[in-house]
Amino acid sequence: MLSALERFAPLPLQESWDNAGLQVGLTETEVSGALLCLDVNERIVDEAIQKGCNLIVSHHPLLFRGLKTISDLTDVQRTVMKAIQNGICVVSMHTNMDNAKDGVNFKIAEKLGLQQVHFFATKSVDGVEAGSGVIGELAGPLAADDFVKVLKKTFDVECAMCNELLRRPVRKVAICGGAGDFLLDAAIAEGADAFITGEMHYHQYFGYEQRIQICVIGHYQSEQFTSEIFRDIIAKECHDVKTFIAETNTNPISYF
């Protein structure tokens, strides 16, 4: 199972600060079922137990930094303890899945029905083409306000944080799920009319009026379909393994 995921998104594709791969458990464990999710917390482990899964595959790593203590003091420590106590392995596929062909950003593009999707700001890692963002074209041009409406409906977001609405049609769309403001200028250089990401620093919104339509839809919301990638990899490579897309919403942000 782990090898199938890593063939799709090799670990060398992850960023230097990341900690993708096996988080908790034994690599040779026979999988009874896999729960697929964005984040790992105690409630996710509880759902895995309830569904009879001994493997959790997440996008965001449970462990970004090393633990000096495993106790009941923090959510991460309690989650690690509960997983170990219940014989549950945790595997995370983070920036390696962001950077992989047909990974997170390609899934976002698919949901929007973009065509001719390809990497921009590309890089090569061990001879494998990769990139932190993708760019593609809408099936037909949309007015900026209509484009934002489509975006909100597709990703079921209550609001999108945008700069001034573009006064030209949106045709070419650049995407970087999660925190992607570092690619904004590269998106403009690629000729994008709109840039979609999950979160962006306040000051990054300044100075781009009528240059590009910025659309920030929330970190969780932008990456919510990543579990579908995991499901499809496992279905193709490990036919007998039952998979479940988590029902637990782990988004820590509420909108009032």
Side-chain angles (χ1 to χ4, degrees):
M1 173 78 70
L2 182 57
S3 61
L5 291 166
E6 291 183 3
R7 279 195 299 273
F8 185 95
L11 289 181
L13 296 185
Q14 71 179 309
E15 303 296 336
S16 60
W17 48 264
D18 201 7
N19 187 40
L22 182 67
Q23 308 281 294
V24 176
L26 303 175
T27 57
E28 300 302 319
T29 300
E30 184 174 344
V31 179
S32 62
L35 184 68
L36 317 174
C37 58
L38 197 63
D39 311 287
V40 186
N41 58 22
E42 287 187 272
R43 291 183 297 123
I44 285 289
V45 176
D46 288 337
E47 184 176 345
I49 296 167
Q50 186 270 324
K51 286 182 163 65
C53 297
N54 64 352
L55 173 65
I56 294 170
V57 181
S58 71
H59 182 44
H60 296 141
L62 172 61
L63 303 173
F64 268 112
R65 291 166 290 276
L67 294 178
K68 293 186 177 181
T69 303
I70 300 179
S71 68
D72 61 352
L73 291 178
T74 69
D75 179 63
V76 170
Q77 291 179 28
R78 290 191 296 271
T79 301
V80 170
M81 284 185 64
K82 182 172 282 191
I84 292 172
Q85 288 168 344
N86 289 277
I88 295 174
C89 295
V90 179
V91 171
S92 300
M93 307 296 286
H94 191 211
T95 52
N96 54 320
M97 188 61 74
D98 289 332
N99 291 330
K101 179 74 168 66
D102 296 325
V104 175
N105 295 308
F106 285 87
K107 176 59 72 172
I108 297 170
E110 175 192 313
K111 293 295 179 180
L112 285 169
L114 297 190
Q115 302 171 353
Q116 301 175 36
V117 179
H118 58 277
F119 287 122
F120 73 100
T122 58
K123 52 192 170 185
S124 178
V125 181
D126 294 342
V128 177
E129 185 186 22
S132 299
V134 301
I135 192 164
E137 295 186 6
L138 294 167
L142 287 174
D145 56 344
D146 290 331
F147 174 71
V148 174
K149 289 174 185 175
V150 168
L151 193 59
K152 289 173 64 177
K153 182 177 180 180
T154 303
F155 293 90
D156 191 26
V157 297
E158 298 179 41
C159 65
M161 292 179 286
C162 304
N163 62 343
E164 178 181 271
L165 287 176
L166 206 62
R167 292 193 291 272
R168 68 172 190 269
V170 173
R171 293 184 177 86
K172 188 177 284 191
V173 180
I175 297 168
C176 182
D181 57 10
F182 66 99
L183 282 181
L184 182 55
D185 289 327
I188 293 172
E190 288 288 325
D193 300 304
F195 178 66
I196 301 169
T197 191
E199 60 178 282
M200 206 166 84
H201 289 88
Y202 171 77
H203 292 285
Q204 281 290 92
Y205 287 87
F206 288 99
Y208 291 94
E209 296 82 4
Q210 300 309 313
R211 297 179 64 196
I212 194 167
Q213 183 65 65
I214 296 170
C215 301
V216 179
I217 61 174
H219 197 124
Y220 181 94
Q221 291 88 339
S222 71
E223 298 180 328
Q224 64 184 290
F225 299 114
T226 304
S227 294
E228 295 181 9
I229 305 173
F230 300 150
R231 178 197 62 197
D232 294 344
I233 295 169
I234 295 169
K236 181 179 179 181
E237 301 286 340
C238 311
H239 314 288
D240 298 329
V241 175
K242 295 182 296 183
T243 59
F244 304 87
I245 291 180
E247 299 173 61
T248 303
N249 186 325
T250 57
N251 189 358
I253 301 171
S254 298
Y255 301 85
F256 297 102

